[in-house]
C-alpha cells in the first residue's frame, strides 16, 4: 500500500515508534494498534526505515492475505512487530507470541480496548505482558480515556457487581481539556494568550 507523506511525524508517533524499537531490542514481540490502514502504513514504513521487519494487518488486505502474513511472518516467523488496524483485530485472534502491546489511537469503546489487550493474554502466554495506552497531553485522547474507563466501570458494576475504580475521579469536560491544551501550547511557544489566538486566527485565514 502506498503511504502518503503529509509532514513530519508527530510527537505521539515518535513515542510509539521508540517503544516498539525498545521492546524489540529487549527481545519481545509487540503489537501496535492504529486507527486506519494509512496509520498502519506509516508505522510500518518508519520501522522498516529503522531496519525492523514489521507486519501490516488492516482492512485493505484480504482476510486470507493478512492472516497468512501474520502467521508466517509474525506469529511463527522472525518479524518482531505487527501493526494492526483496531477494527480488524479486536476479536477472535490468539496472539500469545506477543508480550508487549501499545494502543497508538484510543477508542470510545471500553470493550473494544479491552479486547485488543486480551489478544495477548491467552492461556498459552508464558511471559509477563505489558500494554501501554498512549495519550497526547491535553488532547481528545484524555477525554476518550476518561469516557472509556467510566463506561467500563459502569458495565462492571451493573453486570458483575464490581466496585467502580473511577467513583472518585473528577469528570473533566472536553472544553476544559481543550483549554488546557491551548494553554500548554501558549506556554511552550512563549506567547501571551491573545497573541497566540491572533496567530492561530492568521494561520486559519491563510489556509
Amino acid at each position: 500500500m502506498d503511504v502518503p507523506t503529509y509532514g513530519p511525524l508527530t510527537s505521539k508517533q515518535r513515542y510509539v515508534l521508540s517503544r516498539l524499537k525498545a521492546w524489540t531490542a529487549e527481545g519481545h514481540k509487540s503489537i501496535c494498534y492504529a486507527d486506519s490502514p494509512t496509520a498502519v502504513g506509516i508505522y510500518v514504513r518508519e520501522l522498516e526505515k529503522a531496519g525492523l521487519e514489521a507486519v501490516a494487518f488492516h482492512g485493505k488486505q484480504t482476510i486470507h492475505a493478512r492472516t497468512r502474513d501474520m502467521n508466517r511472518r509474525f506469529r511463527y516467523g522472525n518479524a518482531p512487530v505487527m501493526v494492526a488496524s483496531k477494527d480488524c483485530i479486536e476479536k477472535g485472534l490468539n496472539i500469545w507470541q506477543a508480550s508487549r502491546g501499545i494502543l497508538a489511537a484510543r477508542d470510545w469503546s471500553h470493550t473494544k480496548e479491552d479486547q485488543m489487550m486480551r489478544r495477548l493474554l491467552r492461556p498459552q502466554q508464558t511471559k509477563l505482558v505489558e500494554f501501554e495506552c498512549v495519550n497526547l497531553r491535553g488532547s481528545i485522547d484524555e477525554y476518550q480515556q476518561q469516557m472509556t474507563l467510566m463506561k467500563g466501570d459502569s458495565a462492571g458494576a451493573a453486570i458483575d457487581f464490581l466496585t467502580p475504580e473511577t467513583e472518585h475521579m473528577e469528570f473533566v469536560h472536553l472544553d476544559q481539556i481543550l483549554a488546557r491544551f491551548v494553554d500548554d501550547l501558549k506556554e511552550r511557544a512563549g506567547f501571551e494568550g491573545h497573541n497566540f489566538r491572533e496567530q492561530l486566527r492568521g494561520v486559519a485565514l491563510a489556509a
Side-chain angles (χ1 to χ4, degrees):
M1 183 181 74
D2 292 333
V3 181
T5 302
Y6 296 111
L9 296 173
T10 66
S11 59
K12 185 176 179 181
Q13 289 171 326
R14 293 194 301 272
Y15 174 80
V16 170
L17 288 166
S18 72
R19 299 303 294 143
L20 296 170
K21 293 172 186 176
W23 288 331
T24 299
E26 293 169 1
H28 299 287
K29 286 200 171 193
S30 56
I31 300 176
C32 171
Y33 294 104
D35 60 355
S36 68
T38 298
V40 169
I42 290 172
Y43 284 115
V44 169
R45 179 190 65 195
E46 295 301 320
L47 289 166
E48 289 178 345
K49 283 182 182 178
L52 299 181
E53 182 182 0
V55 178
F57 192 98
H58 57 73
K60 286 192 175 180
Q61 302 162 306
T62 66
I63 295 175
H64 174 75
R66 67 186 185 229
T67 303
R68 179 197 60 209
D69 280 356
M70 176 184 66
N71 289 334
R72 289 182 181 176
R73 297 174 57 203
F74 182 71
R75 294 182 69 197
Y76 304 111
N78 295 323
V81 180
M82 181 167 72
V83 186
S85 174
K86 296 185 301 180
D87 292 332
C88 288
I89 202 167
E90 61 175 299
K91 294 180 181 179
L93 291 173
N94 298 326
I95 316 176
W96 52 269
Q97 292 86 351
S99 58
R100 297 293 183 269
I102 191 163
L103 190 55
R106 302 304 302 258
D107 199 88
W108 293 106
S109 168
H110 175 269
T111 301
K112 192 170 181 178
E113 289 196 345
D114 184 66
Q115 285 296 318
M116 285 186 280
M117 297 178 195
R118 291 181 183 278
R119 296 310 95 215
L120 287 64
L121 297 170
R122 314 314 297 169
Q124 302 93 328
Q125 183 61 262
T126 59
K127 296 182 179 180
L128 179 65
V129 173
E130 294 182 11
F131 199 97
E132 293 188 17
C133 298
V134 184
N135 295 336
L136 180 62
R137 185 175 63 180
S139 74
I140 199 170
D141 292 346
E142 294 186 339
Y143 188 70
Q144 283 184 294
Q145 174 177 260
Q146 173 183 247
M147 296 301 293
T148 53
L149 285 175
M150 290 182 173
K151 287 177 182 178
D153 261 5
S154 297
I159 298 172
D160 297 319
F161 303 101
L162 301 179
T163 301
E165 297 179 3
T166 59
E167 59 182 339
H168 301 299
M169 180 186 293
E170 176 188 3
F171 181 82
V172 182
H173 194 275
L174 181 58
D175 287 347
Q176 291 175 271
I177 292 175
L178 295 177
R180 292 176 186 175
F181 183 68
V182 173
D183 287 341
D184 186 54
L185 286 177
K186 178 186 68 177
E187 183 177 340
R188 289 169 181 263
F191 286 104
E192 293 296 329
H194 66 281
N195 289 333
F196 191 64
R197 284 191 292 272
E198 286 300 319
Q199 185 180 33
L200 290 176
R201 186 177 294 110
V203 170
L205 292 174

